[in-house]
Amino acid sequence: MYKAPVEEIAFTLNHVAGLSDALEIGRFGDLSPDLVDAILAEAGRFASDEMAPLGDIGDRQGARLEDGVVKTPDGWPQLYRHWREGGWNGLTAPEAFGGQALPHMLNVATLEMWNSASMAFALAPTLTMGAIEALVAHGSDDLKAIYLEKMVSGEWTGTMNLTEPHAGSDVGALKSRAERHADGSYRVFGQKIYITWGEHDAADNIIHLVLARLPDAPAGTRGISLFLVPKFLVGEDGSLGERNDVICHSIEHKLGIHGSPTCTMIYGDGKFGDGTGAIGYLIGEENQGLACMFTMMNNARLAVGMQGVAIAEAATQKAVAYASDRTQGRAPGSTGPQMSPIIEHPDIIRTLLTMKALTQGSRAICFACAHAIDMSHHLEGDQATHWVERAALLTPIAKSFATDCGVDVASLGIQVHGGMGYIEETGAARYLRDARIAPIYEGTNGIQAIDLVLRKLPLSKGAQVRTFIGELRDIAQRVESLNAPGFGSTAERLNASIDDLQASTDWLLEAQASGRVAEALAGATPYQRLFGLVLTGAYLAKGALVASEDGSGEKRVSLCRFAAENMLSETAALKDRVIAGAESLEAARIVLA
Amino acid sequence: MYKAPVEEIAFTLNHVAGLSDALEIGRFGDLSPDLVDAILAEAGRFASDEMAPLGDIGDRQGARLEDGVVKTPDGWPQLYRHWREGGWNGLTAPEAFGGQALPHMLNVATLEMWNSASMAFALAPTLTMGAIEALVAHGSDDLKAIYLEKMVSGEWTGTMNLTEPHAGSDVGALKSRAERHADGSYRVFGQKIYITWGEHDAADNIIHLVLARLPDAPAGTRGISLFLVPKFLVGEDGSLGERNDVICHSIEHKLGIHGSPTCTMIYGDGKFGDGTGAIGYLIGEENQGLACMFTMMNNARLAVGMQGVAIAEAATQKAVAYASDRTQGRAPGSTGPQMSPIIEHPDIIRTLLTMKALTQGSRAICFACAHAIDMSHHLEGDQATHWVERAALLTPIAKSFATDCGVDVASLGIQVHGGMGYIEETGAARYLRDARIAPIYEGTNGIQAIDLVLRKLPLSKGAQVRTFIGELRDIAQRVESLNAPGFGSTAERLNASIDDLQASTDWLLEAQASGRVAEALAGATPYQRLFGLVLTGAYLAKGALVASEDGSGEKRVSLCRFAAENMLSETAALKDRVIAGAESLEAARIVLA
């Protein structure tokens, strides 16, 4: 059974991602290290003891649609109530609306634990938090006054309605429409698909944020507006009124995250209300909906990255436990008649260490991204700009690298279990099924790679990424200076990989500058993975440096060395794909014709 | 919907794996190219038109256990009857028992098609064929006379019973027991798990091959005997008699291959018969059971490799079709207001080409392995020994590389579908679920790597593998000599990868020779993948050379070049892991303590 790795999470937050330094100089007001530890410990307890036991049943039962009502798995409504009563939903929300205004770093740390315990369950608050952010950033004071407090407390959940059958990655193609109404509200019509927790029985109201077009809107992405459409209409005093004209038409039969209802929502078809459409309220300005939605989406991308970390962590724990217990064959050097625990076989050791390194690397990348977001909120001027850019640069890497790791680590976890891994009751297969959506939603990892290469590398004319690479060089330099034998060839390996990153970055910036966009795009995905791998190596080294200085770090140092000497050699191949792969890719298009 | 790639299969058989040359010199008697084509065409028709439509329903319904009887999905018993009436079950079986004595190459080619259409369904004949081979090789004349004809026709199916709860990869740990009976038969007792098609309603009888220990047997693998245990006892005239004392206790709830019943079988618990145990008949000599079982297992490993090829092919077809149809965004260079088919986006092109190259590479490796098996049967003396060794060397690579490709390609296929890929009705997710077992059963891919490094590389003191590497050099040399621009830097890339293979091979042989077995084992899995990648590059080049000579091969040449310039650079990283990774792996064991 999953046990939240509270100590590892705290270490990574504090010593790799920068929380400790930030606390020391008072960047987060009077937030103390002790309070951080207490929050993490309590989250760990809740996730391990209360949430994880209900994860399996959620997978087996799934969400069920009965007469337009979605029933969540047995025990989930109570679990949700306990969870929100713990104050977890409003960790980062403004105090004015009942939130705790804590750093995002703490929120992603707790998100990891909720997702390890049950990714399907954790999706509900993940979407609510995104809706809160959009409303805080763009909503009118009236809307905020009516909706935010109950959303922050978690009494009401939120959703995000972008996708339509022919408008997925290409949001600009959406067709849902909205009409202005005499009273200043709007009427919304249309069908939305893949709406996570679009309908359920765990909260009193559901606040849908819906993208739609006004009749006179320009075509494409510049003609999209964002509307708040509550399931139940809300009086000015916050009381629940009539049912709004929005229904869940069906829920999807998915590979995983069975407990999370993925809904097709229909707005304004006349099932409820007076037949004039679903009543909605504009968020932000007309035709500026996409900018509002991006507020949600950016943090949602990091939250999805945390799903990858979470599944990788849970899958690794399960595999290590199984491999310690299961005996088969005799490991090299074993004596006596007994079979060896499979954790002593070199191939299993390689697999488990790879799982550990990917998990810790992904975690560090995501936490570093959250740190950048926090810094951007707590600093001003050029410093704020720097951190906004850093968060922007890290977001696609965090989302894609961590979610790919989630899938890869879950798959390796099945393999460690042998035949048992293929049996559903074991639970290893669920991790792969759940993990597999994360590289897809919130922008496929291919879309993230396009974003990284076309929009993030050019930030500050390339200065942001170059500064970042310089920081990674410093880490390698510190390993080199320390010259401790436990690190093996870490410094040399890490430097070589940073060279690969540097060369690929330069090549991509040059390709774009000279108008060779297709060539840059051909290398976008290998580049994204290259960046993630280098960060994994660098952050493991950063943690190992801290740990080695206080003498407690033999394990960290040896894992860092394993990653450097067994995983970083992949970066040369990735660089090669980036800078030398595009021509043959273009030439081979005929294969697909 | 899946359409069997008959032309591609024929090309690979003939021009890459060596069938054409063998036919030309009459190696397979009067088997003509026309007959080969006719067989492949008819298999393709059956797989595409009759079998594939029943694959989905098999996945949805699954096999069901009701009162000890296993019901296969709707339509499957009829499908099975049609299939066996086509003579497909006995393709390679001896003519004396009603088989067609055709080359294994044809059997693996048709196996690919059955598995693409429905891997769960194809498992039934796969197991039967293995049982036939064991019986042909080791059974007494009496057993052959009674059982083989009906097994070859497919009227009766076969199973393979090795695994017990504490004896999986380590077969020597099994505890099922057998007692000698006065009439020369045996009585078998014990529980076996993971028995594929152990019980079902699609055939009149099921012939179980069961490993068990005699009371006076030595411990470990040298004390195991193989028994034939029929579900229904069979008279000397072949008539069905009483039910034998073997039952299906339960079936597993698995990640995939839902239509294939995975049974826990109980022998001799007294549910049927006179309470003296399940009646069994010795196959081969007492205590020589493992050698008999290896006869089944070796070809079964290749058959599992074909499952990887099959899923990769089917997943690629589905992804290409979807990407051609689905429009989103605008690809670089596209003009006009329309969205582009996603197959025009560079990242999707990269993904689909990677899927194609892995599929074709895996297919070529598996077919080359089948060719080696055929040659070993049709030649004598040193030549036969050479081909026995070649088949032995190729088997673990075929099994592991192709099944890893099956998983990877199926996962990429989901990714190409975006959100649709996660919805079960789309069918892309089924491929991943089905594919995920193949790297596990018939010896996990980790076990294959151990086999490759410890048992196969040392064949003929390393001469077999060195000869093989020399043949790969010749292919690179031919590409170099041709010096055709379409090949890009294929020759150079392929040579560099062969260098990596050579260096890794030398290192592993030297490590073993000097007793550093743990170090060799630490690099076994990276080495196995390295070998598979080099073979992929070499076999794509071999095919491209043939195709370029007759001018029809622009597609083959460009895919070969794509693989060389985008995929082969991984071999350097793998070599590095093999020859420089073991020390850090050993040092990092403390991480798992």
Side-chain angles (χ1 to χ4, degrees), chain A residues 95-120:
Chain A
E95 289 173 307
F97 302 103
Q100 300 181 59
L102 287 164
H104 272 77
M105 293 184 87
L106 281 176
N107 200 43
V108 294
T110 53
L111 269 179
E112 177 189 321
M113 303 191 228
W114 318 138
N115 277 293
S116 288
S118 172
M119 179 171 150

Side-chain angles (χ1 to χ4, degrees), chain B residues 50-249:
Chain B
E50 301 197 37
M51 200 180 281
L54 287 168
D56 280 340
I57 198 172
D59 182 60
R60 280 198 305 279
Q61 288 192 338
R64 293 148 290 172
L65 178 67
E66 292 164 7
D67 301 326
V69 177
V70 173
K71 263 180 72 74
T72 55
D74 292 352
W76 280 32
Q78 296 83 336
L79 175 65
Y80 180 72
R81 201 181 63 242
H82 290 165
W83 180 84
R84 71 171 173 78
E85 285 170 358
W88 299 113
N89 198 61
L91 222 52
T92 59
E95 289 173 306
F97 303 102
Q100 301 180 58
L102 286 164
H104 273 77
M105 292 184 87
L106 281 177
N107 200 42
V108 295
T110 53
L111 269 180
E112 177 189 322
M113 303 189 228
W114 317 137
N115 277 294
S116 288
S118 173
M119 179 171 151
F121 181 89
L123 274 161
T126 299
L127 272 290
T128 306
M129 290 170 193
I132 291 169
E133 281 171 31
L135 207 48
V136 166
H138 304 284
S140 67
D141 289 344
D142 282 354
L143 283 182
K144 288 183 189 173
I146 297 175
Y147 290 94
L148 267 178
E149 201 174 304
K150 291 243 167 64
M151 291 174 74
V152 167
S153 72
E155 282 167 271
W156 299 349
T157 62
T159 73
M160 181 155 131
N161 291 240
L162 289 81
T163 305
E164 301 178 8
H166 293 282
S169 303
D170 194 338
V171 181
L174 69 81
K175 292 181 178 140
S176 288
R177 61 195 176 81
E179 295 173 359
R180 299 182 188 89
H181 199 258
D183 64 0
S185 70
Y186 294 76
R187 295 297 178 271
V188 178
F189 305 86
Q191 187 193 40
K192 295 285 181 177
I193 61 172
Y194 301 159
I195 307 309
T196 299
W197 284 82
E199 172 60 29
H200 62 87
D201 59 358
D204 297 334
N205 203 1
I206 303 173
I207 310 305
H208 303 289
L209 301 202
V210 185
L211 289 182
R213 289 183 187 287
L214 289 164
D216 48 5
T221 53
R222 279 174 296 186
I224 297 173
S225 305
L226 181 65
F227 301 91
L228 182 156
V229 183
K231 176 179 169 183
F232 289 101
L233 299 175
V234 181
E236 291 198 5
D237 60 349
S239 62
L240 294 186
E242 294 292 296
R243 178 75 188 253
N244 200 356
D245 193 8
V246 46
I247 59 161
C248 170
H249 169 266

Side-chain angles (χ1 to χ4, degrees), chain B residues 36 55 95 108 117 122 157 192 220 268-269 273 320 335 341 404 423 435 508 583:
Chain B
V36 168
E95 289 173 306
V108 295
T157 62
K192 295 285 181 177
D269 82 334
V320 169
T335 51
D404 282 344
I423 308 297
L508 287 169
E583 194 180 325

Side-chain angles (χ1 to χ4, degrees), chain A residues 457 465-466 469 499-512 516 527 579:
Chain A
L457 292 190
V465 67
R466 291 201 176 98
I469 291 173
D499 289 345
D500 293 332
L501 176 62
Q502 178 85 58
S504 304
T505 305
D506 291 346
W507 190 92
L508 287 168
L509 284 167
E510 165 60 23
Q512 289 181 70
R516 293 176 288 124
Y527 177 75
I579 69 179

